[in-house]
Amino acid sequence: MQLVVARIGRAHGIKGEVTVEVRTDEPELRLGPGAVLATDPAATGPLTIESGRVHSGRLLLRFEGVRDRSGAEALRNTLLIADVDPEELPEDPEEFYDHQLIDLDVVLADGTEIGRITEISHLPSQDLFIVERPDGSEVMIPFVEEIVTEIDLEEQRAVITPPPGLIDESEAVVVSSRDEEAESEEAAEKTDEAPKGDA
């Protein structure tokens, strides 16, 4: 099975390094020195990783045969694709490969259907499920323990307990108006407590 593991960004410096947008939970395995990756567009590859390092929180890669900035810039927006055994599982039972999560049904704890995972977005701070709702709209759900409480691969579903406003925007409005009321009440109490001067 072929999986997209990264997208090449802009050139970094003048010696052929590029920034990459990582799309795998195991960059040290998929994007390590010596890894040979297919590409989209296919004519750009295959590319062999010569070296990698982290700079200011971003992964920088250098590929064999790419020695200058113009060569690196020519690779911009290329997708890097790894061959992965579909039966292979991450070492940590709490981790999942993207292909295991795509197409899972997303439901609330009471079974209410929210939608279907169509994409996993790997951000520096956290991963996001891109979920398509039955009406065709999309919602982004942070893949964190507090929200995604269960991944059941046998039942092909992800169970979530979303905070108010994550799924239903009208709930967010109610919460924010309550916050504003609470703030105005606190402000009023502080005014009452303020020492009064002689008239």
Side-chain angles (χ1 to χ4, degrees), residues 31-131:
L31 300 170
V36 180
L37 301 165
T39 59
D40 181 8
T44 309
L47 293 172
T48 302
I49 297 175
E50 185 175 286
S51 64
R53 65 189 178 100
V54 176
H55 175 73
S56 298
R58 298 209 62 152
L59 179 61
L60 302 179
L61 295 180
R62 180 183 284 124
F63 299 101
E64 288 182 7
V66 180
R67 288 284 168 263
D68 57 26
R69 187 177 181 85
S70 60
E73 197 61 46
L75 298 175
R76 192 168 186 168
N77 292 326
T78 297
L79 297 177
L80 299 175
I81 301 166
D83 272 315
V84 178
D85 181 345
E87 301 302 314
E88 183 183 329
L89 298 174
E91 291 178 10
D92 186 338
E94 295 297 308
E95 290 186 359
F96 302 89
Y97 291 136
D98 287 6
H99 70 270
Q100 295 176 288
L101 302 171
I102 298 291
D103 283 337
L104 291 188
D105 292 322
V106 178
V107 298
L108 299 179
D110 64 6
T112 302
E113 182 187 354
I114 299 302
R116 181 178 61 87
I117 299 173
T118 57
E119 187 183 339
I120 316 294
S121 180
H122 298 282
L123 303 178
S125 56
Q126 66 189 14
D127 294 337
L128 289 175
F129 290 163
I130 310 300
V131 177

Side-chain angles (χ1 to χ4, degrees), residues 31 44 72 78 142 144 149 158 177 192:
L31 300 170
T44 309
T78 297
V144 293
T149 56
S177 63
D192 291 341

